[in-house]
Every structure is written in structure tokens, then in C-alpha cells.
């Protein structure tokens, strides 16, 4: 699965303003709402579901990256966004590092395989230090989009 | 030669989690792997990764019913291999989210 298959291009943000976990999640879900990828009536329910998942254990996966996510009945295909925080957010990651790069994912209830494939793709690309560093330092959403496109074209040699 | 560093243990386990090794199982494996005086690796086909690194575990993209090999090296190799094999085989299938 490629980034282009699930990242809503117009929701990407290189300047996440939130300074805490809930704020970061709200801001990213809002960006998917603004991009027309989720239903406004479902906003609060999606945010709460993602926060509930975080209570089970942080989705901070190391290297300054987190993958907050949930299943939600209101989406009929996997949808996600990317956000970068220059200052970082304390996400209670296993390695104790602040999170600068977020991949937020919302999956349909019945498609666990797609979710796993998206996590696999994100993680494979993150193993490449260059991709990781460029992503953290991206200055605008166009730069992030370009990095995702380059990753989709295997330009970071992660496969 | 340091005899302690030579201890090795391997196990083969089948992933029974209905949703594969997604973020939460990967975090639990990484957390447990960190708690032993041993280096722990997960091996699938020809890919061998550090079991303390969530990103590396997720990058394997382990689907339900896939077989994994555990390798542990160090003073607590046996204990680590046993504990992680038990986590994957018995505890993770109970976790759905």
C-alpha cells in the first residue's frame, strides 16, 4: 500500500500548533474534516475513539513519530493525514522522545488488513533516516507531499 | 570470551492475533523485549529485526497466521525467548485494538 492510497493530500499540515496529545489529535481530525474526508457530525466521536485507543497504550512508535488511529463506522475506506510539529508534542512514546511527525489513520470497521498494510508502509519508509529527517524538517505541506510521492516511488530504497 | 554473551535461544511462533501485529501488539513486544538482559530479534523469511523497535516490528507487516522466529542472545536469552513466545502465542490473540 502506498501513501497516495490513504493520505488525504489536502489535509497535510507542516505546522501543527497543538502542544498536547488531545490538541494534536483534534487538529488532525479537523484537517480531515476541512478536507471533506470525514463527516462533521462524526468529528467528536472520531476524536474520542482515537483518544480511547491512546489510553490503551501510546501510539508513539519511536524516532519522534506517532500513529494515532481508530476504526470508525463512518468511513468506508482507510483515510489518513500527516502533520509535523516543529516544537514536538509529548505523546508518552516508548522511547521517551517528543513526537514531531504524526500519521493519523481512520479505518473502516471491517478492513484490518488495510490498516496493517498502511502501518507497514509507514514503518518501512521511517526506517530510512533520510526520509525521517526530511519529513521532520519539511517547511510546508507541498514538501511533505513531495516526500510521500518520492517514498511511493521507492526513492528512499526502503523495500 | 564472555560466556554470558554466547547464550542463545530460538523459538518459532505463529501469530494468532486476528488483526496481525499492528501497533499495540508491536509495542507490547518491544516493551517486553526491553526488559531482559538479552538482544531479541524477530525473523520473518530473510528479514531479521530488533524486537525492541516498534517501527521495525511494524515494518514486517505480520499478518494473522504467519509464522515468526524469535532469536535471543545474551544472559537471559532463554527467559526472553520464552516470555516473548508466550506473549505472541497466548496474550496477543486476546487483544483486538
Amino acid at each position: 500500500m502506498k501513501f497516495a492510497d490513504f493520505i488525504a493530500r489536502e489535509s497535510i499540515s507542516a505546522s501543527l500548533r497543538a502542544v498536547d496529545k488531545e490538541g494534536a489529535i483534534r487538529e488532525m481530525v479537523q484537517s480531515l474534516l476541512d478536507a471533506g474526508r470525514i463527516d462533521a457530525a462524526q468529528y467528536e466521536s472520531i476524536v474520542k475513539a482515537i483518544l480511547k485507543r491512546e489510553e490503551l497504550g501510546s501510539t508513539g512508535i519511536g524516532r519522534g513519530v506517532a500513529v494515532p488511529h481508530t476504526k470508525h463506522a463512518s468511513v468506508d475506506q482507510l483515510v489518513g493525514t500527516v502533520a509535523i510539529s516543529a516544537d514536538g508534542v509529548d505523546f508518552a512514546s516508548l522511547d521517551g522522545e517528543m513526537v514531531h511527525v504524526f500519521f493519523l489513520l481512520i479505518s473502516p470497521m471491517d478492513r484490518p488488513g488495510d490498516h496493517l498494510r498502511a502501518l507497514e508502509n509507514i514503518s518501512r519508509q521511517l526506517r530510512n533516516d533520510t526520509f525521517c529527517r526530511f519529513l521532520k524538517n519539511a517547511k510546508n505541506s507541498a514538501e511533505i507531499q513531495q516526500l510521500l510521492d518520492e517514498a511511493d516511488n521507492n526513492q528512499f530504497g526502503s523495500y | 570470551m564472555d560466556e554470558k554473551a554466547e547464550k542463545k535461544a530460538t523459538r518459532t511462533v505463529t501469530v494468532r492475533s486476528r488483526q496481525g501485529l499492528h501497533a499495540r501488539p508491536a509495542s507490547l513486544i518491544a516493551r517486553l523485549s526491553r526488559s531482559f538482559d538479552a538482544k531479541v530479534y524477530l525473523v520473518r523469511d530473510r528479514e531479521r529485526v530488533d524486537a525492541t523497535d516498534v517501527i521495525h516490528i511494524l515494518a514486517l507487516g505480520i499478518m494473522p497466521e504467519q509464522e515468526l522466529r524469535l532469536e535471543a542472545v545474551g544472559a537471559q536469552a532463554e527467559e526472553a525467548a520464552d516470555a516473548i513466545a508466550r506473549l505472541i502465542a497466548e496474550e496477543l490473540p486476546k487483544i483486538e485494538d
Side-chain angles (χ1 to χ4, degrees):
Chain A
M1 184 177 282
K2 293 181 181 295
F3 287 121
D5 295 330
F6 62 96
I7 298 295
R9 179 182 284 254
E10 55 292 3
S11 68
I12 293 171
S13 168
S15 51
L16 194 77
R17 291 179 303 275
V19 294
D20 62 12
K21 181 180 275 199
E22 179 167 347
I25 288 166
R26 286 190 176 279
E27 202 172 324
M28 287 184 278
V29 176
Q30 182 67 47
S31 74
L32 284 169
L33 175 58
D34 294 343
R37 302 303 289 261
I38 59 163
D39 183 352
Q42 302 297 329
Y43 170 85
E44 202 58 39
S45 165
I46 290 171
V47 166
K48 288 206 161 67
I50 295 172
L51 287 169
K52 195 172 171 197
R53 165 61 187 83
E54 289 295 326
E55 285 174 13
L56 298 173
S58 173
T59 60
I61 56 174
R63 300 188 190 191
V65 180
V67 289
H69 59 266
T70 189
K71 289 185 221 131
H72 203 271
S74 68
V75 298
D76 56 13
Q77 63 177 11
L78 177 64
V79 61
T81 189
V82 181
I84 310 297
S85 163
D87 294 336
V89 177
D90 182 356
F91 230 69
S93 295
L94 190 58
D95 64 1
E97 281 190 36
M98 296 284 272
V99 170
H100 293 273
V101 178
F102 296 89
F103 290 89
L104 180 134
L105 303 172
I106 307 169
S107 313
M109 303 302 284
D110 57 349
R111 302 266 283 279
D114 285 356
H115 175 70
L116 195 68
R117 289 291 168 240
L119 284 177
E120 177 186 358
N121 178 56
I122 292 166
S123 302
R124 282 194 175 265
Q125 301 298 344
L126 289 172
R127 293 192 304 188
N128 184 290
D129 291 338
T130 307
F131 175 74
C132 225
R133 191 173 66 249
F134 281 14
L135 204 49
K136 278 177 197 168
N137 293 323
K139 294 285 175 278
N140 53 56
S141 57
E143 277 186 28
I144 297 171
Q145 186 60 53
Q146 189 181 345
L147 284 164
L148 300 182
D149 288 343
E150 287 171 7
D152 279 348
N153 292 322
N154 294 327
Q155 291 179 29
F156 295 99
S158 296
Y159 281 86
Chain B
M1 188 180 289
D2 184 351
E3 199 174 314
K4 268 171 62 176
E6 286 299 291
K7 283 190 183 175
K8 285 184 189 171
T10 62
R11 302 285 185 277
T12 301
V13 289
T14 301
V15 172
R16 303 288 186 199
S17 313
R18 285 195 294 152
Q19 302 186 14
L21 291 190
H22 55 96
R24 188 148 174 250
S27 296
L28 293 170
I29 292 169
R31 193 176 292 273
L32 186 59
S33 298
R34 284 168 186 232
S35 69
F36 293 98
D37 181 11
K39 288 287 291 178
V40 185
Y41 303 93
L42 299 185
V43 187
R44 195 197 64 178
D45 301 329
R46 275 177 291 177
E47 232 174 325
R48 181 176 187 262
V49 305
D50 178 353
T52 65
D53 189 326
V54 179
I55 288 173
H56 282 277
I57 299 172
L58 290 175
L60 290 176
I62 303 291
M63 299 292 279
E65 303 305 320
Q66 282 192 330
E67 207 168 70
L68 264 185
R69 206 155 77 95
L70 307 178
E71 293 179 5
V73 183
Q76 290 187 296
E78 285 291 336
E79 293 92 326
D82 276 341
I84 295 158
R86 192 164 55 244
L87 173 70
I88 293 173
E90 295 172 26
E91 298 303 317
L92 295 187
K94 299 174 191 167
I95 293 169
E96 291 302 328
D97 286 317

